């Protein structure tokens, strides 16, 4: 192996390491690491907090923001779809009711979402879908599902997360 060739291999290796490092660092916002000195060593992490204010801060962090209720909404929406597909209307009504509760509780944690939540969902749409479900026919079930889906998709658009709609969950249809 001559020296120029060896030099080229070394340069190529450095370029590869550099590219891997850049790729690893640009993988979206990362979570800052937690140092063990910041953690209460006791497993009663809430009971042993220094003050009530600290206790509430810890609870608030664990309760998260809008993502966690939306995650539940997504799971229930999938089960809502399945229940309608199986013509199990009581189960579909149950999930639809819990979806409403979850969105209402979610905006309590993130008040800036309230206007669109009301406009697209809580003001009238939730009730309209519930009324259609009461009829318990496959035609009205389809109408209810289409209406529900359009509300989810529209609110994602209005809230600037339209990419949320590009997933199989939000492309489900009722056959
Ligand atoms: C207030 C308007 C609004 C309505 C109504 C709404 N969403 Fe969302 N959804 C959002 C926002 C905003 C996010 C992003 C949350 C975040 O970034 O913390 C989101 C995120 C999600 C996620 C991703 C959750 C995760 O982190 O895994 C799913 C799934 C989802 N929505 C499903 C639905 C479904 C299904 C419906 C209808 C039944 C619906 N959403 C109705 C605003 C809405």
């Amino acid at each position: 192996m001559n020296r120029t060739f060896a030099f080229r291999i070394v340069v190529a290796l450095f370029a590869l390491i550099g590219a891997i490092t850049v790729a690893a660092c640009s993988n979206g916002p990362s979570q800052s690491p937690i140092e063990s000195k910041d953690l209460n060593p006791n497993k009663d992490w809430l009971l042993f907090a220094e003050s009530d204010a600290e206790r509430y801060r810890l609870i608030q962090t664990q309760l998260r923001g809008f993502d966690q209720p939306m995650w539940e909404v997504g799971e229930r929406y999938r089960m809502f779809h399945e229940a309608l597909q199986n013509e199990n209307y009581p189960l579909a009504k149950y999930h639809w009711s819990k979806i409403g509760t979850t969105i209402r509780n979610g905006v309590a944690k993130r008040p800036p979402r309230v206007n669109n939540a009301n406009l697209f969902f809580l003001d009238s749409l939730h009730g309209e879908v519930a009324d259609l479900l009461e009829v318990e026919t496959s035609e009205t079930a389809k109408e209810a599902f289409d209406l529900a889906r359009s509300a989810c998709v529209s609110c994602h658009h209005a809230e600037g997360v339209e990419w949320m709609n590009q997933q199989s969950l939000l492309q489900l249809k009722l056959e």
Side-chain angles (χ1 to χ4, degrees):
M1 188 169 15
N2 68 36
R3 281 172 74 181
T4 320
F5 185 63
F7 178 72
R8 277 188 188 156
I9 287 183
V10 170
V11 169
L13 271 177
F14 271 108
L16 185 66
I17 291 167
I20 289 170
T21 311
V22 168
C25 294
S26 62
N27 217 358
S30 61
Q31 305 270 327
S32 49
I34 303 178
E35 300 197 16
S36 55
K37 67 176 172 53
D38 298 331
L39 292 175
N40 190 323
N42 199 297
K43 72 177 166 54
D44 288 325
W45 58 287
L46 276 180
L47 295 178
F48 282 78
E50 276 169 13
S51 61
D52 274 353
E54 174 62 4
R55 208 163 279 128
Y56 285 128
R57 193 189 64 76
L58 289 169
I59 295 172
Q60 182 168 286
T61 307
Q62 292 294 331
L63 287 176
R64 306 275 289 264
F66 209 60
D67 65 322
Q68 200 119 17
M70 268 300 134
W71 192 35
E72 176 181 334
V73 166
E75 283 309 300
R76 289 191 184 278
Y77 179 78
R78 195 183 293 283
M79 293 187 272
F80 173 65
H81 176 264
E82 188 185 290
L84 288 176
Q85 200 96 283
N86 295 336
E87 299 183 17
N88 184 346
Y89 297 114
L91 182 60
K93 287 180 212 172
Y94 171 82
H95 283 303
W96 186 246
S97 158
K98 299 296 175 192
I99 284 174
T101 306
T102 310
I103 291 183
R104 192 170 287 111
N105 289 346
V107 291
K109 291 194 282 178
R110 288 295 181 264
R113 311 263 192 224
V114 77
N115 290 342
N116 283 331
N118 283 339
L119 181 66
F120 292 105
F121 209 83
L122 296 171
D123 278 350
S124 61
L125 180 120
H126 190 263
E128 284 167 34
V129 171
D131 289 347
L132 284 169
L133 294 175
E134 286 302 326
V135 186
E136 302 198 353
T137 64
S138 55
E139 291 76 35
T140 45
K142 194 175 172 321
E143 217 180 309
F145 188 76
D146 287 348
L147 205 55
R149 180 185 170 274
S150 69
C152 312
V153 166
S154 306
C155 199
H156 292 155
H157 220 273
E159 288 289 320
V161 292
E162 52 277 5
W163 38 267
M164 207 51 98
N165 299 328
Q166 310 304 317
Q167 53 179 320
S168 58
L169 179 73
L170 286 152
Q171 281 147 22
L172 286 173
K173 290 258 167 355
L174 206 60
E175 302 303 332

